[in-house]
Amino acid sequence: MHSKQSKWLWAAALLAYAFLYVPLIIVVVYSFNDSKLNAEWVGFTFKWYDMLFKNEQMLVAARNSLLIAIVTSVCATVLGTLAGLAMHKYKLRLLPLLVLTPIAIPEILMGVSLLIFFVMLNMTLGLVSVALAHIAFCIGFVAIVVRSRLQGMDESLVEAARDLGATPVQAFRLVTMPLIMPGIIAGALMAFTLSIDDFVITFFTAGAGASTLPLQIYSMIRIAVTPEVNAVSTLLMVLTLCLILLASKLAPSALRAE
């Protein structure tokens, strides 16, 4: 009986994983297809990647995405780390609600609200508004990772440092910071990945003059899903997977859902 149930569970799991990953595999495979059509396989080629790196609009969009992602990861890591430390130390009920709400609300709602907020401030939409929007929703993710790391830390080490004469700042710099550093780095990588992949919030806050990689891909697929789109999607997928794997290596427990 148990063996039969196990087979059904395995079959359901395989179907679920196939639904998730087969479309991604198809995109990767057809990025090497020597045909403009995604309907049939003609032959192997790297020419779509060569065309991609000669596409000026795509290069500008990639540069904008990388710049925004770097600024977002730095700022969100600093603010998210402070928020994680505050949530761990003070145990205030309202604080986690304030920090983590941007994670829970729908992206389209957050994008519209940020657009209205920037318009009320008479702020010109562009790379700065996109970076501010990305920082706003990435802080919560960094705070979760850092707080998770703090919860697994042995507090007696900090107390021992204080007993030996260390000031609060020295105890934090020499004991707490090294212990939570994997969580901080993992949070920074998560912020970078979320920022470079984001489309919905970027769509509302970018304005007319600033294009990022997801926006550029969207403008291309409105005409057709060309092999060039498959190539850039593959590169973006590889970058995202590498960053997620690196983050999971640095802080495996921190990336598990609480």
Side-chain angles (χ1 to χ4, degrees):
M1 184 66 180
H2 289 293
S3 177
K4 191 174 181 179
Q5 288 180 343
S6 177
K7 288 179 180 178
W8 278 108
L9 287 174
W10 271 106
L14 288 174
L15 284 174
Y17 281 117
F19 181 76
L20 290 173
Y21 291 106
V22 167
L24 299 176
I25 294 171
I26 291 173
V27 168
V28 174
V29 170
Y30 275 91
S31 70
F32 299 102
N33 186 17
D34 192 12
S35 170
K36 289 185 178 180
L37 301 176
N38 286 319
E40 58 178 351
W41 178 264
V42 175
F44 186 88
T45 182
F46 283 110
K47 69 179 181 182
W48 306 117
Y49 289 90
D50 184 53
M51 289 178 62
L52 186 65
F53 287 108
K54 293 177 180 175
N55 187 324
E56 188 66 27
Q57 288 183 331
M58 189 63 75
L59 292 177
V60 171
R63 184 200 62 192
N64 290 342
S65 286
L66 284 174
L67 180 63
I68 291 169
I70 291 170
V71 172
T72 297
S73 60
V74 172
C75 296
T77 300
V78 174
L79 297 174
T81 300
L82 294 175
L85 289 166
M87 286 192 296
H88 176 72
K89 184 174 182 181
Y90 298 109
K91 311 293 184 186
L92 299 174
R93 291 185 178 180
L94 187 60
L95 187 58
L97 182 66
L98 292 173
V99 174
L100 304 180
T101 295
I103 299 176
I105 64 174
E107 282 196 43
I108 191 168
L109 175 59
M110 188 161 183
V112 172
S113 62
L114 286 168
L115 172 62
I116 295 172
F117 180 67
F118 291 144
V119 171
M120 288 176 63
L121 295 177
N122 290 323
M123 184 174 176
T124 304
L125 298 181
L127 297 183
V128 175
S129 59
V130 175
L132 290 174
H134 286 193
I135 291 168
F137 78 81
C138 284
I139 288 174
F141 289 98
V142 178
I144 286 178
V145 176
V146 172
R147 187 181 66 170
S148 175
R149 187 75 185 180
L150 284 164
Q151 288 174 340
M153 190 181 73
D154 188 357
E155 296 287 348
S156 62
L157 296 174
V158 179
E159 295 172 2
R162 294 296 307 277
D163 291 340
L164 292 173
T167 64
V169 174
Q170 288 175 326
F172 176 78
R173 182 170 59 85
L174 299 175
V175 179
T176 305
M177 181 66 82
L179 290 174
I180 66 172
M181 185 55 71
I184 294 173
I185 296 174
L189 293 173
M190 284 184 67
F192 185 92
T193 304
L194 291 168
S195 173
I196 207 165
D197 278 351
D198 181 76
F199 172 77
V200 177
I201 295 175
T202 307
F203 180 80
F204 285 99
T205 57
S211 179
T212 63
L213 210 49
L215 294 182
Q216 185 65 28
I217 293 173
Y218 175 71
S219 68
M220 293 170 69
I221 63 173
R222 292 172 69 180
I223 302 172
V225 181
T226 64
E228 204 172 349
V229 173
N230 294 334
V232 71
S233 300
T234 301
L235 292 177
L236 195 58
M237 196 187 314
V238 170
L239 175 63
T240 303
L241 288 175
C242 289
L243 291 174
I244 291 174
L245 287 174
L246 182 58
S248 66
K249 289 290 183 183
L250 290 171
S253 60
L255 294 181
R256 285 197 291 267
E258 290 186 347

